[in-house]
Amino acid sequence: MLHHPGGMKRLGALFCALYPLLGGCASDALPSTAPGSVAAAPSTSIGTVATVTWRTATATIGYVSYGTTKSVEQSAPIETVASTDHSRTLLGLAPDTTYYYRVITWDAPNVTAGASEVRSFHTTALPAGTPTLHAESFEVLDDNGKPEAPMADYVLAPYVGAEQTTVGIADPAGALIWYHVENRDRRVTRARLSGDKTSVLYSAISDAAPDDSEIVSVAVDGTGTSNISVPGLGEDFAVHPDGTLAVLMADTRTVRGSSVTGDKIVEIDAGGAQKTVFSTFDCFDPAKSPGDGSTDRWTGASALQLDSKRGVYYLALRNLSSVVQVNRESGACDWVLGDDDARTLDFADGTDGPTTPFAHPGGIQGSANRLVVLDADGGKNGARTAVYELDLDASTATETHAYDADPRVDVTEQGEATVLTGGIILTNWSNGSRIDLVNESGALKWKLEVTSGERLGYHTAFRDLYDVKLEGNQ
Amino acid sequence: MSTLRARPARLFALAALALAASVSGAARADGGYYTGVKGARAAGRAGAFTARADDVSAVGINPAGLANIGTTMIQVGNRFSYNEHEFTRNATLDWRDPESPAYVEFAKVKNKAPWQVLDPLIGISTNFGLKDWGFAFAAYSPAGVARESYPESGGQRYMMVRRNAQLIDYSLSAAWKFKDVFGVGASLVWIAVPTLDYSLIVNASPFKQQNATGVGGEYDMHASVHGHDYFTLNAILGGWFKVAPFLELGLSGQVIPSTIKTDSTIDVVPASSSGEGVTLSRNGKPANDVGLSLDLPMTARFGARYIHHRGKRELFDIEVDGVLETWSRVKTFHLDARDLIAYSGGQYVPFADIDVQKQWQTTVGVHLGGDFNVLPDRLTARGGVYYESPVAKPPYANIDFADGRQLGFALGGSVHVSKLEIAFAYEYRTQPTVRVSDANARVYQSTPASACPSPYTDPALCDPNYLGRPAAPANGGSYFAYSHVMSLDGIYRF
């Protein structure tokens, strides 16, 4: 009696071999769709980015599963266009770490999946001088007693040090998973993602030679950098979905015989053509609104935000302690809120308490009925985040809640507050070297500390490394 | 006839009747679509028995052979079998996450109920003193694998989870011969199906995205059908012709195109503990009656038997049989839901009919076997080999039956003690590996609540990853099966 299944199979195979006239063994196996020539290599410029390449005999779509164990628990999104030569960039890798990966393919016409064997590569260590970060999460219960959703965003920001600036992306765990070092004598104030989300853009301001200022574009996959010359570049810029840049630039005019430098919003399209959309001279008069800055930094525009769906810009004017909503199409000031005679909205106390006007605003985020401001000097305990409800019919702004830094921070640079999904607020305390995430009740949910001491420039928060969903306005 | 000679005969008859009484229940545990033949003598020749057909098993193989028995014969036997059936499903992608669909590999699954200990045959044949006649009554479960059972979470789950097909054939036969030149016979067969259970997992989701998984999801339901059909009629006609003292031809056929139509009920329960329950109704009233149809084939057997004599005794014989079975009648296992409505998760959804695609094809079998009389009237040895063409083309391969090509050999023998013959046989049967690519697989996940209409090309209603297909393929993978079969018969000739 035969017992061993393996033996049975061999016997079956023997039968197959002996019965060629009867058709041999039944099989309709197709040519393999499994990926071949599979290889991976970390980027030479960004050690936490790697590119995996593979080929398939037929046109397939595929993706890469990867992780620090052979169970390869993470995945990069699947390709959308079928081809035989494939390349996929892996993001969010830890430095100096062995990663395992496997390529998965899908032959759509034949509804057939293929997979490579599990392979490995090693990422490189972070370069010297990059910041060290520490993230900490805190459990916060909702009204039903259940834990609120944890921090899920990536934060892109400049980490400004004495010797160099690192433009980096931190993951929710506080790991620096993407970086680019700017070690020229440039002031970096803002980092954003490009319109197609394939590059990181950052401002590189030359205070010594303002005409040499530029916006630097670094490919996320580490394949290269390019520069967009923006003479007189100010502290902030925004990016339209079509890639058009909106930048702050100095606008110097002679007013009543004196030279006064205000600010303007200039759009730069993909071809490099510039168009001035707005100037602070359009809505403010240096005589009536002198502010508290010098004439060479009259309005002191500190931050620019774009609401592309509504077609408006929000402009923070530090020295006028004002925020303006600018209509992109007409260049008109829709409203002005702040401590200035040109204001069209007034601060009004609410039923729940008094409203404290902001002073020397940093980063802002506006919407049709709300304004979030990093208020550098309006609070009594240093910088704070203030949220105002706007009633344009009544021409009022009422403070709904505020959040003070604890311990106190006096923000003198690019502090910023951003509202994330779920109404939670991410506050970047800039020279406090810290970012806090609080809920609407002010409970701290998460914080990121730059333990190496660099201060933070303006940040961008987004979900999902591969299918970037930007948070807040741009 | 002396008392001494009659006593063992009576004892044997009594024992046979007692066994018959007991296996009337036991027989219900066996049956199924056919594999092999009944009767240890026929099995020992690998089924090459159409021309010889000289025991009670002739009722199902060639009833004309009953005329050659020439005496009264009681035959009681059983097959014991171990039936292994393996399936490893092809890896696939789980498209519920369309951006990073998980690559899912499946473990090999095996039949969890491989042992079949009761597969009986009991019958009596007599000529009632009429020299050229033979009559028989027999009850037997058709040779086959009654039960197969697989993990509910296994890769085969959308094809089948469990099957229990219990068939009993009751056969009344008569045969007549003209001298020893030729003979004819017929069996009237009453097929009773006391139990026909079949269960599988269906994807009951009405949502496109949830229909995109051939892997498993919260809408998976365990649909199990329980039914019976106590009366299906069939008939077998046969004949033989002795061309020469050394050459005999046999021909038989099952000639009525029958269909088993069960009265069944269906139970649908969530496959996972987190799934929503399902309530079935019709016209606003609770109902779960359905119909299940299974076509039976017609068959034709032809045998040519060479008989080698030494003196007046037969020394050995060799027979070659060809068997044609019209399994092409079986297009689907069709579950008629009779307009049932399913209610689950706050939604009423029409419960569509379920067709388990078969598209079987007519098969051809070749059987070669024979007997060798080692010690005349004392010991007979027999053996044989066979080949049967596949009943299913690879795209329609399924785990419920071993439906690929079948190869096998058999060894057996008989020991004669006075009028009692103890016949035994061992048969090894295998289905070589059948591989089915997902591209060609044509058995799909059952999605009775799907909004995707034929020809399944509307991207608004159908998952883009399976356009042109009703759902994800369910039967892509590799199949392998083998059986060890032991047959043991007691045959008493009066």
Side-chain angles (χ1 to χ4, degrees), chain B residues 415-447:
Chain B
V415 175
H416 301 263
V417 180
S418 185
K419 294 184 177 182
L420 177 64
E421 177 183 355
I422 303 297
F424 52 90
Y426 164 74
E427 174 192 351
Y428 173 69
R429 182 183 185 89
T430 185
Q431 171 190 281
T433 299
V434 175
R435 291 188 177 85
V436 182
S437 70
D438 280 11
N440 292 332
R442 292 294 178 270
V443 178
Y444 300 102
Q445 188 185 53
S446 291
T447 52

Side-chain angles (χ1 to χ4, degrees), chain B residues 56-123:
Chain B
V56 173
S57 65
V59 300
I61 298 174
N62 184 356
L66 295 169
N68 282 330
I69 295 178
T71 182
T72 297
M73 172 189 287
I74 293 175
Q75 184 169 345
V76 178
N78 189 52
R79 285 179 14 138
F80 312 88
S81 58
Y82 179 86
N83 307 289
E84 187 58 274
H85 199 170
E86 302 172 356
F87 172 64
T88 305
R89 189 177 164 191
N90 295 333
T92 190
L93 299 188
D94 182 350
W95 285 98
R96 281 175 296 178
D97 178 357
E99 292 185 354
S100 298
Y103 181 73
V104 182
E105 296 175 286
F106 299 92
K108 179 188 292 182
V109 294
K110 295 183 176 183
N111 180 15
K112 295 193 296 183
W115 292 100
Q116 183 162 292
V117 297
L118 281 171
D119 188 353
L121 161 72
I122 183 166

Side-chain angles (χ1 to χ4, degrees), chain A residues 50-299:
Chain A
T51 299
V52 178
T53 56
W54 69 96
R55 304 187 73 176
T56 49
T58 59
T60 65
I61 54 176
Y63 69 93
V64 181
S65 288
Y66 61 98
T68 54
T69 67
K70 291 183 178 178
S71 59
V72 291
E73 61 283 349
Q74 296 172 267
S75 293
I78 196 163
E79 298 166 302
T80 55
V81 179
S83 65
T84 55
D85 292 295
H86 308 258
S87 175
R88 204 64 175 161
T89 300
L90 305 185
L91 304 172
L93 308 178
D96 196 16
T97 302
T98 296
Y99 273 86
Y100 298 89
Y101 71 101
R102 179 168 69 166
V103 173
I104 307 296
T105 60
W106 178 252
D107 179 354
N110 291 311
V111 295
T112 301
S116 72
E117 61 184 12
V118 176
R119 296 163 176 262
S120 67
F121 64 88
H122 196 89
T123 58
T124 55
L126 293 175
T130 50
T132 54
L133 309 177
H134 174 73
E136 192 171 357
S137 295
F138 306 94
E139 185 175 88
V140 176
L141 302 181
D142 63 16
D143 293 340
N144 298 317
K146 295 181 178 178
E148 292 187 359
M151 171 66 168
D153 282 58
Y154 294 87
V155 179
L156 164 64
Y159 297 85
V160 182
E163 303 296 326
Q164 65 180 42
T165 295
T166 300
V167 177
I169 298 174
D171 70 10
L176 190 67
I177 51 92
W178 189 94
Y179 60 86
H180 175 80
V181 175
E182 172 58 72
N183 51 18
R184 299 176 296 171
D185 184 19
R186 300 297 175 97
R187 190 159 54 90
V188 181
T189 55
R190 162 70 78 181
R192 293 192 188 273
L193 291 165
S194 63
D196 60 6
K197 315 293 189 294
T198 61
S199 300
V200 168
L201 309 178
Y202 68 88
S203 56
I205 301 168
S206 174
D207 290 325
D211 286 351
D212 291 342
S213 297
E214 59 195 13
I215 289 176
V216 179
S217 172
V218 184
V220 171
D221 62 7
T223 53
T225 62
S226 60
N227 304 321
I228 303 165
S229 177
V230 186
L233 176 63
E235 289 195 12
D236 205 358
F237 66 94
V239 182
H240 286 266
D242 66 359
T244 297
L245 298 176
V247 301
L248 291 179
M249 295 174 71
D251 186 6
T252 302
R253 300 184 185 183
T254 300
V255 180
R256 300 179 188 91
S258 301
S259 175
V260 178
T261 300
D263 297 279
K264 59 184 178 182
I265 301 172
V266 176
E267 292 185 355
I268 305 173
D269 67 17
Q274 296 189 4
K275 180 180 119 181
T276 299
V277 175
F278 169 80
S279 170
T280 51
F281 288 99
D282 297 342
C283 293
F284 298 91
D285 182 341
K288 297 178 181 176
S289 304
D292 54 12
S294 58
T295 55
D296 61 344
R297 292 202 65 192
W298 165 46
T299 46

